[in-house]
Amino acid sequence: MIEQLRNIEIFTSLSDSSLHELANHIEHVKYKKGTIIIHADKIEPHFYVLEKGIARAYCNGENQEITFWFGQSGNVLFSFNSYINNRPGYENVELLVNSTLIQIRLSDLFSLYEDNLEIANWGRKIAEQELIATERRLIDRAFKGAAERYQDFINQSPELIKRVALKHIASYLGVTQVTLSRIRAAHK
Amino acid sequence: MIEQLRNIEIFTSLSDSSLHELANHIEHVKYKKGTIIIHADKIEPHFYVLEKGIARAYCNGENQEITFWFGQSGNVLFSFNSYINNRPGYENVELLVNSTLIQIRLSDLFSLYEDNLEIANWGRKIAEQELIATERRLIDRAFKGAAERYQDFINQSPELIKRVALKHIASYLGVTQVTLSRIRAAHK
DNA sequence: GGTAACATTTTACAAATGTTAAAAAATGAT
DNA sequence: ATCATTTTTTAACATTTGTAAAATGTTACC
């Protein structure tokens, strides 16, 4: 069990004893492609690590659906507002391929945060890494054109380009699918 | 000393004993309007709480300067990349009015994180709150037009509208100053 | 293999925003 | 108060991106 977790980067910083504590509260779950594992407007009681798979988080607007996050194997996955504020979230999370996830109840995780210094700092670093990545995206939107953001996406996430529908990538990049098609056409 | 910190919201969740520990490492500093307290491309060795004042964080581009964050009294203030990755940051932070700040050395703060469970969780929550606010902004960019984002800004930060140059607000909202002027003109 | 459902590209046009430059207004320093 | 500097607005025009609809391509399933 521990050995299996050791293969996942997010757990490598934890000592054996903390990883053991965490492992006591972990379940492995499997879902098929297309499963919505997190629903907007509901409190999601679990924190997940995407052991193997691809996921996207999106919000529903009036006419549109905006994808604002992609997760790949090794990434953490949770409803921000459930995890952070214990309130219903604003995002849906859909698995884009058959996936296996590690699941921890938030109530268990929060207990660990109150008991175990190492795990509390582990949780702090998770939030910090997500924070800096999110801010980078916000800044990139200001400094880079859509074409450059698309190139960056290809470079940084070659797996996703292959396996994710372009309409999702378009909204992730902050443009319509038509604009993304134009960018792609210009590059040939 | 403790009483003074108790007036600042960010510290209200801490117990007396933790606040005492934190207070041992705190200095109060004062800077004039216009001071750049954090410089891009340098490691900033302090974590700040803006006790009284207004600040903005911005990045320098080729022709432009993009403001992507405002801080007001009570907000935390730090170089993301220094704090999170111990690397030179990408942002400058300028004080827009004469300000007083609480200053903690990052090395001291990190030691507290490794020693004090309550402070570690306090640090976790700071990162989480910044994270959810940043993600909200990213999502709002997708769902709301510039005029609506401006209205939201007025509603949420009435102080800033009064006291911050419109050119900074324009780039914060993700538009040029010309566009912001047009939005303002349309509202009369 | 054929068909239905869905995804992507293309086209034509509309709307929003950017660019540049200049004028007007506000601010600050002496 | 006046002058110089900076900020904000306005104007004209260019560019980018969006919208809607049709055409083409792809996938999954019977």
Side-chain angles (χ1 to χ4, degrees), chain A residues 176 178-179 182:
Chain A
T176 61
V178 176
T179 296
R182 288 194 271 238

Side-chain angles (χ1 to χ4, degrees), chain B residues 12-47:
Chain B
T12 50
S13 68
L14 288 173
S15 68
D16 271 358
S17 93
S18 290
L19 197 53
H20 253 292
E21 277 203 66
L22 205 56
N24 286 335
H25 301 281
I26 274 175
E27 286 188 51
H28 287 264
V29 293
K30 247 185 208 207
Y31 293 109
K32 295 220 160 144
K33 168 175 175 172
T35 306
I36 311 289
I37 54 170
I38 294 179
H39 292 265
D41 302 320
K42 296 196 177 165
I43 294 182
E44 165 56 48
H46 299 103
F47 177 98

